[in-house]
Amino acid sequence: MGDVSVIARRLSDQYVQHGWSGNGGYFKTVGARLLDSYNTPDMVEYLFGLGQLRHLWKPHSEAQASGICTVPSGMPHWVSPSERWMFSRIAFIDYGYFYDSDQTWYYVKPGPFRLKLPLTLIAENLDERSLEFSFLRKVERLALDEIFSGRYAECLRSGGFDPEELRKIHESLIQEEQPLYTLWDRHRPLFDCFDDWVLIRADESGASVGDILLRPKEEPHRETIFWRGPAD
């Protein structure tokens, strides 16, 4: 697994700012630092004012001459018309962090489906090594089950899928190591029934998965900050 990361933030309803936040981008390096040190609007403004980063550390550490510090790359961030662009300018991105207009940091897992979930939910579900990967596999399987839950039956029927065919596809994916990637690879017409983002919300405790929202595919993509339910 690689470790390239990007950060992004929503500037307005029409624009997203995004760019490199360095390698070593898993939660216990970049994600934890964002929650600890860059978790207010003022600090987010400061963070993005540094431009793209080779390495992220504590605020104002970029002024240090040596030691562990934030290292700006010298490149400004890109500005694009949608959250869908946050992975578009750098190849082989493994981790995404998105500060949305609800003043919340989100972890975004790239893939055929972009899984977007509160960064605090990741923090609550790390393994004994403070890594997020086991939890992400669980979330991916919950998203798979949601696709076949019956709540999207009308959408899937309109795509030409009958209930028995859907049952067989679901069963064939359950044991896959990366079921959402396999869905995209082997059953593209089914994948294409949906928007390519999945929004995960925490439950009331903030420590467990609550709602998992998918949407029927539409153009243009509706930004996830405006999602209220699967067909709102």
Side-chain angles (χ1 to χ4, degrees):
M1 179 174 290
D3 60 2
V4 180
S5 68
V6 295
I7 54 173
R9 64 168 171 168
R10 196 177 302 281
L11 293 176
S12 69
D13 290 354
Q14 289 81 33
Y15 296 105
V16 168
Q17 186 179 27
H18 56 102
W20 186 33
S21 51
N23 296 343
Y26 29 86
F27 174 84
K28 67 180 179 180
T29 54
V30 173
R33 182 60 57 199
L34 293 172
L35 285 180
D36 290 344
S37 303
Y38 301 95
N39 203 20
T40 66
D42 286 347
M43 292 309 299
V44 169
E45 191 68 33
Y46 163 80
L47 172 64
F48 279 85
L50 298 172
Q52 297 192 52
L53 304 173
R54 298 181 184 278
H55 186 259
L56 177 65
W57 192 240
K58 296 179 181 180
H60 310 294
S61 63
E62 67 276 4
Q64 296 176 193
S66 61
I68 301 176
C69 59
T70 295
V71 182
S73 72
M75 297 175 56
H77 290 93
W78 297 292
V79 176
S80 299
S82 169
E83 62 198 6
R84 297 179 83 180
W85 288 70
M86 67 178 287
F87 298 116
S88 66
R89 302 297 294 269
I90 301 173
F92 307 116
I93 298 170
D94 302 285
Y95 308 92
Y97 299 93
F98 191 95
Y99 190 77
D100 219 328
S101 52
D102 57 357
Q103 298 183 4
T104 298
W105 276 109
Y106 290 88
Y107 186 108
V108 185
K109 182 181 184 295
F113 282 110
R114 277 72 166 165
L115 304 180
K116 178 187 177 188
L117 58 163
L119 191 52
T120 51
L121 184 59
I122 294 288
E124 291 286 346
N125 288 277
L126 302 172
D127 66 16
E128 64 279 0
R129 297 179 296 164
S130 297
L131 297 174
E132 65 266 37
F133 309 121
S134 294
F135 178 62
L136 289 173
R137 284 193 290 271
K138 174 184 175 182
V139 170
E140 184 171 350
R141 294 190 179 282
L142 291 173
L144 178 76
D145 291 342
E146 181 67 16
I147 290 170
F148 294 95
S149 66
R151 281 181 279 274
Y152 303 91
E154 182 177 347
C155 170
L156 294 173
R157 277 197 300 270
S158 67
F161 296 93
D162 62 55
E164 179 61 19
E165 182 181 12
L166 291 173
R167 184 188 65 79
K168 290 180 179 178
I169 292 173
H170 190 195
E171 288 182 352
S172 73
L173 296 172
I174 290 173
Q175 300 302 321
E176 292 289 332
E177 182 69 21
Q178 296 180 298
L180 296 182
Y181 177 84
T182 305
L183 175 66
W184 171 82
D185 185 49
R186 297 181 186 171
H187 307 284
R188 190 70 57 82
L190 194 157
F191 172 87
D192 288 341
C193 290
F194 294 94
D195 190 283
D196 57 0
W197 282 62
V198 179
L199 178 62
I200 295 97
R201 293 173 175 159
D203 66 4
E204 291 184 359
S205 73
S208 299
V209 173
D211 297 326
I212 297 178
L213 300 183
L214 297 101
R215 286 187 57 81
K217 187 174 184 178
E218 59 183 347
E219 293 295 344
H221 163 78
R222 184 182 298 191
E223 300 293 291
T224 52
I225 193 64
F226 301 118
W227 291 18
R228 298 294 179 267
D232 55 326

